[in-house]
Amino acid sequence: MFKIITTTGQCLLIRQTNKLNSAHKIVSGQQLIKRFLNNINSMEKFNLPKRLQGSAPSVWNEYIALAMQYKPLNLGQGFPDDAAPAYVTNALSDISKDENPLLHQYTRGFGHMRLVQAISKLYSNLLHRELNPLTEILITSGAYEALYSSIMGHVDVDDEVIIIEPFFDCYEPMVKMAGGKPRFIPLKPTKTEGVISSADWVLDEEELRKLFNEKTKMIILNTPHNPIGKVFKRHELELIANLCKQWNVLCLSDEVYEWMVYDGNEHIRICTLPDMWERTITIGSAGKTFSVTGWKIGWAYGPSNLIKNLQMVHQNSVYTCPTPLQEAVARSFELELNRLNSAESYFHSLPAELRKKRDFMAQFLQDSGMKPTVPEGGYFMLADWTNLEKQIDLNSEPDKYRDYKFTKWMTKNMGLQGIPPSAFYGEPHKKLGENFVRYCFIKKQENLEKAAQLLKKWKN
């Protein structure tokens, strides 16, 4: 151990031993101060770059660690806990044994040819326009990278980006990393009693209009919405589209839950509205489409002049995505394309299955005293938990926001984990999410039943 003892004009550096203090080395005051300042400068030099400062660990890092420690029934994270379709996983198994050695080597950087051709065929039919598989589609490392490449490829320093709250939590930091300025607008519930639908959460039209200006570069749309489950109606999309055209703004449309829509609601792709193809980048996900979130294969499609910017980011960061996974997704799409209009299509059977799970979850959350928002799409459900407040000890958790306190208390004491929605709001509006919890219902029925029993036993 060392002690620094100051004397006039000098600093005496003393090594302390168990038996005695002996002068170990005499260093001039100027030398010691210089060393100290050099160490400080060295530490500052290796700080996060300014564009990343203020970043914090995501809610997922914190809640995954919490789940590992307490081992609750995890209805928080958004992934299926059941088997993916056999034809999807069998495709990957077949590829692993395929005699073609090139299926295990680099493929085309902007997307494996078989996959971009399959995606082109699918969306050309859905959009009623011919998509060029080489210039209007980019395969990415999950929808996450499609978002990243879109934002980094289009947002410049001081550009403003409108983000609808609550939002997928990576939107805001990605905008900041690009040097842009997030501008937030919340969806707000128009009713708080009775049966509440995700359709009851709406944007304030005048508030939205005021956000658009000459600095606005982009608006990020998510439909079907995570975490509310809102499926934006045509008149809502037309409002956004008209503002984009008025102010010459790009729309980044995150549509990863496009096949999970219930109760006769229609998923409308905003790029199909008049004059919106030219200013829209649309994002999809094989993980969500085929229930294989760990494969991390996504895509973006749009006009070639917009996709080119994404390609520049992609080629200088990710470069290419795994060939076997792209080939397996391509084969899966090809099978679905042959039965797209039949009931046996996974794109139709999955939402039918999820609708039953949704209704089951809404009922047991309501029976427990919570007030669920019944989603029109996606596989998440928000629930107002405030009726349960008297039954829990919020003060036992030190977090700033009440939904963090609630979800942590439930994880530790009830063995049931949800996600705090305030994580999906910008700092000015986080309090809007405090009274809610987000649960995921793309889980085995037996696990949903366990959750129902946990809440029933606790209530009684």
Side-chain angles (χ1 to χ4, degrees), residues 231-243:
V231 177
F232 280 74
K233 303 298 185 288
R234 185 174 295 276
H235 72 274
E236 294 173 309
L237 296 176
E238 286 174 343
L239 170 64
I240 293 170
N242 289 336
L243 288 168

Side-chain angles (χ1 to χ4, degrees), residues 83-94 292 295 328 332:
Y87 69 90
V88 177
T89 52
N90 286 344
L92 187 58
S93 176
D94 292 342
V292 284
W295 286 21
S332 300

Side-chain angles (χ1 to χ4, degrees), residues 164 171 219-223 232 237 240 251-254 270:
I164 298 170
Y171 294 171
I219 182 170
I220 304 178
L221 171 69
N222 178 206
T223 183
F232 280 74
L237 296 176
I240 293 170
C251 180
L252 179 57
S253 190
D254 180 351
I270 195 170

